[in-house]
Amino acid sequence: MPAVRGLYEVSREKMRTRHFAYRTEKAYLYWIRRYVKFHNRKHPREMGPREVDAFLTHLAVNEHVSASTQNQALQALLFLYRQVLEIDLPWLENVTRARRPKRLPVVLTVAEVRSVLAQLDGAAWLFANLLYGSGLRLTEALRLRVKDVVIERGELIVRDAKGGKDRVTVLPTSIVDPLRAHLAKLHIRFEQQRRLGEPGVSLPIALARKFPNSSRQWGWQYLFPAHSLCQDVYTGQPVRHHLHEKAMQRAVQLAVQKAGITPPASCHTFRHCFATHMLEAGYDIRTVQELLGHADVRATMIYTHVLGKGAMGVKSPLDRV
């Protein structure tokens, strides 16, 4: 048991050395614990391909997890053996990976998007408009800071997005005035917090070490800050984080229900709508790829299958009869 507990600590240290996202750290540790527990607390050094395969098979057959969940568990075990235990086992390459089913994204019409947005107000309204108007992922919008909003150039700078890359996307002109008003309110609240000597915002761990005062500077404040303080997961000190994902997810789900929208729309649906409506407007697929931050244009091409021009953009022969 002590050796297994030490394994978890070493795994966490290795992930933080590689600057893994906190969500990835939590997910990998969860699967490593599940793997060890599944095999009656046996140390991973004493296990091999048979145990890994048995665990992944159990997830698929008995727990009916999705393909993406099973693959995440496999990635956690790959990290465990390669980076933590430093065991290069070629058999891990031969473990069968579950194939993710190819699903077409849910895309709303422009009228449906407008009706959903009409059900929102305040910060939730501005947040949803950024998801749709800039093609942001949920976490990308939540992590936006004041310095990332460049109103003069009509740009949003998305920092440390999927794959650890930065990108620039469009800032909709139609929400510039509401955005300025939102920033003005944030600045008043920011000044009050500074006068009261409240803690600053959470920062990337390397930056927090090098420039600790950045957390109390205006540019580093979150565009959608939480109302209360929380404990920083790395330092244990009280900080102000951004709003919780579930707060915005609930607001959007309620707005979808009020608007009477039939498709199962969510926050991520706005990103699908952004891409599809951009292509429908005639923008080049490479431009849309850059705005979305896709590494491969094939990821963007899926939206060509859901354009509002019929399947594959063709006309049925029956319509010519």
Side-chain angles (χ1 to χ4, degrees), residues 57-67 69:
T57 302
H58 166 76
L59 293 179
V61 176
N62 299 328
E63 298 197 12
H64 308 289
V65 300
S66 66
T69 300

Side-chain angles (χ1 to χ4, degrees), residues 15-285:
M15 283 184 265
R16 292 189 177 180
T17 301
R18 287 163 175 75
H19 303 291
F20 278 23
Y22 181 63
R23 291 177 65 178
T24 305
E25 178 186 314
K26 281 179 63 178
Y28 277 22
L29 286 174
Y30 169 78
W31 288 118
I32 292 171
R33 287 192 180 99
R34 284 282 305 272
Y35 174 61
V36 171
K37 186 178 179 181
F38 179 75
H39 291 293
N40 300 315
R41 308 286 179 181
K42 197 174 179 181
H43 197 284
R45 284 189 184 277
E46 302 170 15
M47 295 189 276
R50 189 168 54 188
E51 286 82 2
V52 172
D53 193 56
F55 177 63
L56 296 176
T57 302
H58 166 76
L59 293 179
V61 176
N62 299 328
E63 298 197 12
H64 308 289
V65 300
S66 66
S68 59
T69 300
Q70 189 190 28
N71 283 327
Q72 185 188 64
L74 174 57
Q75 289 302 318
L77 297 182
L78 283 169
F79 178 83
L80 170 65
Y81 279 100
R82 288 176 177 168
Q83 308 300 335
V84 181
L85 300 177
E86 297 182 349
I87 299 174
D88 187 18
L89 299 175
W91 49 261
L92 271 177
E93 297 291 347
N94 300 322
V95 172
T96 304
R97 296 172 182 260
R99 291 189 177 183
R100 295 181 63 178
K102 293 184 178 181
R103 310 284 189 196
L104 290 178
V106 173
V107 176
L108 306 179
T109 65
V110 174
E112 287 173 331
V113 170
R114 191 181 297 119
S115 66
V116 173
L117 295 176
Q119 308 302 321
L120 297 164
D121 56 17
W125 178 88
L126 182 61
F127 184 84
N129 272 271
L130 285 172
L131 294 180
Y132 174 59
S134 304
L136 301 178
R137 298 179 177 91
L138 173 64
T139 52
E140 291 173 349
L142 287 172
R143 292 173 184 167
L144 282 174
R145 300 179 190 260
V146 172
K147 66 182 182 62
D148 300 327
V149 181
V150 190
I151 294 178
E152 295 74 16
R153 294 204 301 264
E155 293 177 353
L156 284 179
I157 303 174
V158 183
R159 307 280 184 183
D160 196 23
K162 193 173 182 179
K165 295 178 289 187
D166 294 353
R167 76 175 189 277
V168 177
T169 188
V170 61
L171 174 64
T173 306
S174 56
I175 64 168
V176 166
D177 288 341
L179 183 57
R180 288 186 190 276
H182 178 73
L183 287 169
K185 290 179 182 177
L186 282 184
H187 195 267
I188 293 172
R189 194 186 311 168
F190 167 75
E191 294 290 350
Q192 291 173 343
Q193 291 166 357
R194 297 289 71 78
R195 285 194 296 270
L196 294 172
E198 293 186 6
V201 295
S202 55
L203 294 173
I205 188 64
L207 184 73
R209 289 199 201 101
K210 194 171 183 180
F211 303 109
N213 292 330
S214 298
S215 65
R216 295 178 177 84
Q217 294 175 359
W218 169 238
W220 283 96
Q221 304 307 299
Y222 285 111
L223 197 59
F224 301 101
H227 301 296
S228 57
L229 299 175
C230 65
Q231 189 179 55
D232 189 274
V233 295
Y234 298 110
T235 65
Q237 299 298 315
V239 292
R240 190 174 300 280
H241 204 46
H242 55 64
L243 284 173
H244 199 280
E245 295 175 17
K246 290 184 179 179
M248 290 306 180
Q249 288 171 333
R250 282 194 292 263
V252 169
Q253 286 173 357
L254 184 59
V256 169
Q257 292 173 8
K258 287 182 177 179
I261 301 299
T262 303
S266 64
C267 287
H268 201 68
T269 302
F270 286 122
R271 178 173 163 87
H272 295 322
C273 295
F274 167 85
T276 306
H277 296 168
M278 288 280 286
L279 291 171
E280 286 177 348
Y283 287 97
D284 180 75
I285 193 168

